[in-house]
Amino acid sequence: MKQVLIIADGKIGKIFIESLLEKYFSNNYYIVISNDAEITSLKFSSSFKIYNFDPLASSRLKPLIVDSVYAVFVIMQNKDERDGVCSIIRSINKDIPIIISCESKSQVKQDLLDDPNLNTVSTSFITARTLIGKIPNIPNIARGFGLNKGEIMQINIPFGSAYSYISVGSIQQRGWRIVGIYRKNSFLITKKTTIIQPNDSLLVIGDPM
């Protein structure tokens, strides 16, 4: 198990921690720093250690930035406070990976963007990308693992599609493969004889083109 430090407040921070509590509480040991009552009042498991103080208090933050911490997540509503916390962390440890949530990169200080060990997650970009993925005939590209270039896609099959009611094996697949189908909240491993139905979502792996 790795130690992960989370500095959070606001709605996004709360949703992030709630997701960890619901699905991933046993994967790592989490240290949470927050002065947001909606976060500190959550029901935490034994995999979490909670500290309730202002993360801009460097004297209190410094003892928690230790070598055993694998990464730091900074999810804060106020961009100036977020950048201030990141600067404090970097003054304590120059190499520890920092992941921050931001509306866009333009709202992050340039010296932080130049930091090779700091990664940004843009909420605006994620929202737009998710909306694009809901448009018919546009595949969803798997993100967060692999090459992020479309080598793993989910392609929806609408009513009236030429691919409805035909077998997987009858589709010429050169450089790519249909490896699974999402159907009615179930996942099916495909065979050559598997028949594609309207409203199916195909899991496709291979050359993005």
Side-chain angles (χ1 to χ4, degrees):
M1 293 177 67
K2 291 182 170 64
Q3 287 192 36
V4 177
L5 177 61
I6 302 170
I7 302 171
D9 63 28
K11 186 175 182 179
I12 295 175
K14 182 172 182 280
I15 292 172
F16 176 68
I17 293 173
E18 284 176 332
S19 298
L20 289 175
L21 287 168
E22 181 182 353
K23 298 178 181 179
Y24 309 109
F25 59 90
S26 63
N27 291 51
N28 298 294
Y29 182 72
Y30 301 98
I31 303 167
V32 178
I33 301 172
S34 180
N35 57 358
D36 185 334
E38 291 198 14
I39 290 178
T40 57
S41 63
L42 293 172
K43 187 176 181 180
F44 290 94
S45 72
S46 59
S47 299
F48 288 76
K49 175 68 175 177
I50 315 304
Y51 293 89
N52 185 354
F53 65 83
D54 183 353
L56 286 167
S58 58
S59 61
R60 301 193 66 181
L61 183 59
K62 184 175 182 179
L64 300 178
I65 309 296
V66 294
D67 291 340
S68 57
V69 171
Y70 182 77
V72 181
F73 287 76
V74 183
I75 310 165
M76 301 177 70
Q77 294 183 105
N78 186 294
K79 63 183 181 64
D80 293 328
E81 292 182 0
R82 177 203 64 212
D83 289 358
V85 167
C86 289
S87 295
I88 292 171
I89 295 170
R90 195 49 82 221
S91 69
I92 299 169
N93 188 310
K94 297 187 181 302
D95 299 318
I96 192 168
I98 302 174
I99 300 92
I100 69 171
S101 169
C102 59
E103 187 172 338
S104 67
K105 285 188 175 182
S106 63
Q107 296 186 345
V108 180
K109 288 169 57 178
Q110 188 59 48
D111 65 318
L112 294 177
L113 292 177
D114 293 339
D115 185 337
N117 292 318
L118 184 141
N119 291 304
T120 61
V121 178
S122 170
T123 54
S124 297
F125 180 76
I126 290 172
T127 300
R129 189 173 65 196
T130 301
L131 290 171
I132 286 289
K134 299 300 181 182
I135 296 177
N137 300 320
I138 293 182
N140 292 319
I141 296 175
R143 306 287 183 179
F145 57 92
L147 300 176
N148 292 325
K149 295 180 178 180
E151 76 280 6
I152 304 173
M153 290 188 188
Q154 182 178 332
I155 302 174
N156 298 324
I157 304 298
F159 278 96
S161 169
Y163 292 95
S164 296
Y165 303 115
I166 65 174
S167 68
V168 170
S170 67
I171 301 172
Q172 191 175 39
Q173 302 167 58
R174 291 184 177 177
W176 62 280
R177 291 288 184 274
I178 300 170
V179 297
I181 291 178
Y182 294 100
R183 177 181 297 164
K184 295 181 179 179
N185 296 319
S186 296
F187 179 71
L188 311 174
I189 300 293
T190 56
K191 302 176 182 178
K192 289 184 178 181
T193 55
T194 302
I195 302 297
I196 298 171
Q197 299 180 10
N199 284 334
D200 280 352
S201 290
L202 310 182
L203 180 63
V204 178
I205 296 178
D207 184 344
M209 293 299 295

